[in-house]
Amino acid sequence: MTEGLAQLNVIELGGGVSAAMASKMLADLGATVVKIEPPEGDPARREGPFRNGKPDPEASGTFLYLNANKRSLVLDLTQPGGRAELERLVAQAHLLIHNVHPTRMAALGVDYARYSALNPRLVMLSLTPFGLSGPNRDLPASELTLFHAGGWGAMCPGKSTHPERPPLKAFGHHAEVQAALHGVSAALGALYGAAETGVGDQIDLSTQEAVAFLLGRNFAIYTYADTVYSRLSPAPYEPQSIYPCKDGMIYIICAEESQWQRLVELMGTPAWAVSGRFATRDLRGENREELKRRLGEWTAPWETEPLFHACQKARVGAAPVYDYVQMEAAEQLQSRRYIMRQRHAVAGEVRLPGAPYLLKQPWWALRRPAPLLGEANAEQERLFAAIPEAAPLAASKAAAARSPAAAQGTPPLPLTGVRVLDFSWVWAGPHCTLMLASLGAEVIKVESSARIDITRRTNPFVKGMPTGPNRSGYFNQLNQSKKSVGINLSSQAGKALVKALAARSDVMISNFGTGVLERLGIGPEEMAKVNPNLIQAMISAFGQTGPCALYMGYGPLVSPLGGLAAQTGYQGGEPEDLGIPYGDPNGGVYTALAITASLLARRMHGKGGQVIDMSMWEAMVASSYDGWMNHALGNPPYPRAGNRDPVHAPHNLYRCTGDDAWVAISATTPEQWRALCQVIGTPALAGDPRFRSESDRKAHEDELDALIGAWCGVRERWAAARTLLAAGVPAFPPLSTKDMDEDPHLNARGYFTRWPHPEVGARKLMRVPWLLTRRENGCGSYAPLMGEHTDQVLAELVGLSKPELARLRAEKVIE
């Protein structure tokens, strides 16, 4: 099965990051992607970075990365002829991806009802700031305002001791990137469903909700423990921070007591480390400042790289805070040949991030460089004609007729009938399988009380209620709509049960340490013998191969490894903690994307398994492409600049009246700048020589921020934001978890679930960040109790009788 997605026809429409990132994921797997550009070209062509800072619309680093493997077709959709040509392509396409703002969709003819009449199996992914419904539907937005509207800014930088500093945006375009990744994963699932039923769908993906979805545990801290967790909240334990070295910085985390003991031994067992003040995890949290000082004194004389390897060889979680020069030289990435080289007609040779995952069936490839503007216009009649209609995707009317749900007008969820055997735990894997479950897959979580999921015993727990393995908000957020089967994997009988389940499953996912599955006798080669069509995904921080493959990894270590932490920080300050373990959900969503793509490819070609080697480090570089492309084009690194942007101004957070009250404001177009000048009462500002052009505004950014800050400083945050939004200027306060819980827009869109749970009652949690138009939405059930479905699953799928189940339970094979 070498074809991958080569039979898939995709149209990309819009501009900037989100739609381009989503379609890139498919183009890299072989899909034919036709990128529709206006006559002036995608705005990303003018965004940069550019080699030596010299603008060239054919050589923008952003455009080069996001648009490799695509074809550029120039159409003027403001004219009837352009819209007619788009409709001709729509009739031949399987998927249309767009990020056209809801206020412009009608003018450009972007209408799913019309398109689906032309092509009933079409799937359309709509990537918009706030979704296609709700009171905020039509509001203007930007990367900055969506990052903060989604709640991440309220968490960043983590463990801050500076309340006078504003919430901080992670460097790059992570709001739009996460919208793209979650959206295209759902789109691939919808394509699978369309192949089964002949009925397409429109996916309504809210960028705000995609950002919020990364904060599930933080939200549960509020709804379970009635605590608003923020960037100013101390960490419950230490170490989990950045520490100085002789030649750089290193992140160290000891999530388990055994890791702390190994770190103490590595340090030579100093008296302070074994004193009563640091005897327990809780005490280390209470005495965090002294611990950070003393640990920093120990790390300071070390060089970063030797300390990284020394910690990891001692089984202590650690990662260097790499800049892009150091990261490119890292032996692990070099051994996996991660950095790719591609020659472009205008930009010359360019180094690009490679695949965010390695595939045993090697579909991913850089086949062609990013297109010149309109280079496909000369052959637009043949763009899709060269790709034969994918019979399994097209000949599905019979399947639709056989579907009772489709006949009644409500098709089943797109992954109905797909079974996932889930060995993952903590965050990355469960984030992935929650997405699959929300698309209709049956997710069977295999677990054991001998190795209980860390999240089952981790805060938050309901305030005033005794703790227990079924009562963690962290676990209950990530594991909605799944089944729990208790199996002892250390027993031969338990392994036999696992193989029996795998033989009846479509997907198997794990995030054990590298080599654990093989030692258990259920590694990829063995399981492929059990089920040749099984899609197997293995998530780890460093990947399954290379000199660091056996190193331990946690989500917080991945942003330092991937260059993101080095670029994120206040102006003139040090690298900062991202506030959330971003590596976990980012790795999880890429895994969901790879799994849904593999399912669709298997559906297209009739058979074939896959092995997915997900390195969270490599996935992080793919999501943090902004800094990498600047480096790859030979430019000096962007300076850490807080919430400011390398190109646009104004682009910042401004203090308002009230306690820790801020508003994010950005003006990235001439129209937004003029509107901002009118709103703040100084229209003459638009003609001020200091601010006449965008480059002028950037050169005088301090003065500009002072003027806007003075206007905001006497206003309440929502009053300031609403005034600006009404004028068409992107603005939004950073939302806390309490703000999100009370937000009228999120509630109007049904973003929160409230399933009655047998032990904790009905607690508000988050759903996935998309809505399907033709199918049902929302998670199907509460997170499972430990072993709740053991008997049901083993009886139905393996055929065990009640006496056999009783015997296996007595022998402690199952629970």
Side-chain angles (χ1 to χ4, degrees):
M1 188 170 68
T2 59
E3 299 93 340
L5 300 183
Q7 295 180 352
L8 193 68
N9 294 338
V10 181
I11 299 170
E12 177 204 318
L13 180 63
V17 173
S18 60
M21 183 71 169
S23 66
K24 169 185 168 56
M25 296 297 107
L26 307 179
D28 292 350
L29 293 173
T32 297
V33 175
V34 175
K35 181 182 181 74
I36 307 298
E37 298 193 66
E40 67 275 16
D42 185 334
R45 292 183 179 274
R46 300 181 290 280
E47 192 76 11
F50 300 101
R51 199 184 299 276
N52 301 319
K54 296 180 180 178
D56 185 332
E58 298 292 3
S60 156
T62 296
F63 191 88
L64 294 174
Y65 174 69
L66 292 175
N67 295 287
N69 289 331
K70 302 179 188 178
R71 311 303 306 277
S72 169
L73 180 66
V74 171
L75 295 177
D76 187 350
L77 298 184
T78 66
Q79 300 300 313
R83 294 194 294 274
E85 177 60 16
L86 174 59
E87 290 183 3
R88 186 188 71 80
L89 291 170
V90 163
Q92 302 175 56
H94 301 108
L95 173 64
L96 187 151
I97 300 172
H98 80 89
N99 61 357
V100 178
H101 195 275
T103 57
R104 297 189 65 238
M105 288 172 63
L108 299 184
V110 182
D111 180 355
Y112 184 67
R114 180 175 178 81
Y115 291 162
S116 62
L118 297 169
N119 182 350
R121 71 173 186 275
L122 180 75
V123 172
M124 184 164 89
L125 171 59
S126 297
L127 300 163
T128 62
F130 299 100
L132 295 175
S133 63
N136 292 348
R137 172 188 184 272
D138 293 339
L139 294 183
S142 67
E143 170 69 27
L144 175 72
T145 63
L146 290 168
F147 184 93
H148 290 290
W152 190 350
M155 309 295 164
C156 187
K159 304 177 287 292
S160 175
T161 57
H162 295 279
E164 76 282 3
R165 296 176 181 172
L168 180 65
K169 176 186 172 295
F171 179 82
H173 287 81
H174 296 279
E176 292 187 79
V177 164
Q178 290 305 317
L181 297 176
H182 286 83
V184 78
S185 299
L188 284 162
L191 286 165
Y192 184 92
E196 291 290 318
T197 66
V199 180
D201 214 328
Q202 181 178 16
I203 300 161
D204 171 9
L205 190 292
S206 158
T207 304
Q208 179 192 27
E209 292 170 14
V211 177
F213 192 50
L214 308 177
L215 312 176
R217 184 194 176 196
N218 306 81
F219 185 72
I221 289 173
Y222 177 67
T223 59
Y224 271 59
D226 197 26
T227 298
V228 178
Y229 193 86
S230 78
R231 72 192 193 285
L232 303 175
S233 300
Y237 67 90
E238 288 284 355
Q240 53 168 320
S241 296
I242 296 172
Y243 296 91
C245 292
K246 183 192 297 186
D247 61 343
M249 307 190 85
I250 192 167
Y251 198 111
I252 297 176
I253 181 171
C254 294
E256 300 282 342
E257 183 64 28
S258 60
Q259 295 162 16
W260 167 251
Q261 296 301 331
R262 291 194 292 270
L263 178 60
V264 170
E265 185 176 346
L266 179 62
M267 290 190 292
T269 318
W272 68 264
V274 294
S275 70
R277 293 175 62 75
F278 308 108
T280 68
R281 175 178 157 128
D282 289 343
L283 285 170
R284 291 191 290 277
E286 292 174 12
N287 296 293
R288 61 184 59 84
E289 292 306 318
E290 182 182 353
L291 176 62
K292 289 173 69 174
R293 176 178 61 81
R294 289 186 177 275
L295 191 51
E297 290 170 353
W298 176 72
T299 62
W302 283 81
E303 292 183 346
T304 308
E305 205 71 14
L307 179 56
F308 164 50
H309 295 297
C311 285
Q312 285 285 357
K313 287 173 182 176
R315 303 300 293 158
V316 173
V321 180
Y322 279 141
D323 61 26
Y324 289 106
V325 173
Q326 296 164 327
M327 189 188 74
E328 186 172 16
E331 187 180 2
Q332 175 68 11
L333 293 187
Q334 290 188 351
S335 73
R336 288 168 63 86
R337 299 179 181 177
Y338 178 65
I339 303 303
M340 313 291 286
R341 294 178 182 271
Q342 189 175 60
R343 178 157 291 279
H344 187 270
V346 176
E349 186 176 85
V350 181
R351 303 190 309 283
L352 298 173
Y357 37 71
L358 296 183
L359 303 175
K360 186 174 182 179
Q361 302 291 342
W363 306 329
W364 193 99
L366 289 177
R367 298 170 180 84
R368 61 168 70 219
L372 303 180
L373 179 62
E375 70 171 29
N377 277 66
E379 52 178 319
Q380 67 188 73
E381 296 292 329
R382 302 186 303 277
L383 283 175
F384 286 156
I387 305 296
E389 285 289 324
L393 294 180
S396 49
K397 292 182 180 179
R402 290 195 302 271
S403 169
Q408 295 168 11
T410 305
L413 285 172
L415 295 186
T416 296
V418 171
R419 183 171 295 122
V420 179
L421 202 55
D422 184 5
F423 291 91
S424 69
W425 65 337
V426 193
W427 197 329
H431 185 93
C432 166
T433 53
L434 174 56
M435 294 173 63
L436 301 179
S438 298
L439 289 167
E442 178 188 19
V443 176
I444 301 171
K445 184 176 178 66
V446 179
E447 50 185 341
S448 168
S449 56
R451 181 189 172 275
I452 192 168
D453 191 326
I454 290 173
T455 58
R456 283 194 180 273
R457 50 190 169 90
T458 302
N459 285 323
F461 294 100
V462 177
K463 192 174 183 179
M465 181 184 290
T467 63
N470 301 317
R471 298 180 177 182
S472 166
Y474 190 178
F475 180 89
N476 290 344
Q477 165 62 38
L478 288 169
N479 293 284
Q480 299 171 81
S481 299
K482 302 176 189 178
K483 296 176 179 178
S484 171
V485 173
I487 299 179
N488 180 359
L489 294 178
S490 66
S491 68
Q492 289 302 318
K495 294 171 188 174
L497 289 175
V498 165
K499 290 182 179 180
L501 290 172
R504 296 161 176 81
S505 296
D506 300 280
V507 177
M508 176 173 159
I509 178 172
S510 68
N511 56 354
F512 295 147
T514 301
V516 170
L517 287 177
E518 288 81 356
R519 291 194 294 274
L520 288 170
I522 54 173
E525 292 187 9
E526 182 66 24
M527 300 310 277
K529 295 175 186 175
V530 172
N531 182 351
N533 292 322
L534 188 65
I535 295 163
Q536 301 180 68
M538 298 172 292
I539 306 173
S540 62
F542 296 91
Q544 300 294 310
T545 62
C548 298
L550 297 178
Y551 283 6
M552 69 165 48
Y554 292 95
L557 299 177
V558 179
S559 297
L561 284 168
L564 179 56
Q567 293 271 225
T568 299
Y570 295 104
Q571 191 171 6
E574 297 292 339
E576 294 283 2
D577 183 289
L578 272 290
I580 62 171
Y582 183 35
D584 282 316
N586 187 65
V589 68
Y590 275 107
T591 308
L593 193 160
I595 289 171
T596 50
S598 298
L599 285 167
L600 183 62
R602 192 182 70 179
R603 177 65 174 78
M604 285 176 171
H605 310 305
K607 63 178 181 177
Q610 180 64 281
V611 178
I612 301 161
D613 173 6
M614 165 53 64
S615 161
M616 294 197 294
W617 180 358
E618 293 163 6
M620 181 58 64
V621 182
S623 290
S624 307
Y625 66 86
D626 308 75
W628 169 263
M629 291 307 300
N630 184 61
H631 160 74
L633 291 172
N635 300 323
Y638 291 120
R640 287 181 287 275
N643 290 283
R644 288 179 169 180
D645 184 79
V647 176
H648 302 293
H651 191 282
N652 214 336
L653 257 69
Y654 304 90
R655 186 181 283 280
C656 296
T657 59
D659 182 36
D660 197 30
W662 307 82
V663 64
I665 302 172
S666 66
T668 60
T669 68
E671 295 78 16
Q672 291 170 359
W673 164 245
R674 289 191 292 271
L676 176 64
C677 292
Q678 290 287 339
V679 166
I680 66 174
T682 53
L685 212 57
D688 190 312
R690 296 173 298 170
F691 311 126
R692 187 167 293 142
S693 68
E694 189 159 64
S695 59
D696 292 329
R697 293 192 287 277
K698 190 67 186 169
H700 298 90
E701 195 165 13
D702 288 344
E703 300 148 86
L704 181 57
D705 278 348
L707 289 166
I708 299 172
W711 182 85
C712 294
V714 294
R715 286 168 172 80
E716 189 270 336
R717 59 178 184 150
W718 281 109
R722 287 171 181 141
T723 301
L724 290 162
L725 288 165
V729 180
F732 221 88
L735 297 189
S736 69
T737 49
K738 182 177 186 293
D739 292 329
M740 285 193 287
D741 176 56
E742 298 171 352
D743 184 67
H745 177 76
L746 292 175
N747 280 281
R749 281 179 55 80
Y751 184 56
F752 303 111
T753 65
R754 194 188 283 271
W755 293 104
H757 186 280
E759 295 194 16
V760 300
R763 301 281 162 181
K764 213 171 187 180
L765 298 169
M766 294 178 175
R767 62 157 170 76
V768 290
W770 65 76
L771 292 171
L772 303 176
T773 303
R774 289 179 165 174
R775 291 163 169 86
E776 294 182 356
N777 288 288
C779 298
S781 66
Y782 60 82
L785 308 182
M786 183 78 182
E788 180 177 358
H789 304 93
T790 302
D791 289 6
Q792 174 198 339
V793 168
L794 295 181
E796 292 179 358
L797 299 185
V798 185
L800 296 183
S801 65
K802 288 185 178 180
E804 288 173 316
L805 290 167
R807 176 180 58 80
L808 290 172
R809 185 165 280 109
E811 294 172 356
K812 297 186 178 179
V813 174
I814 64 174
E815 54 186 289

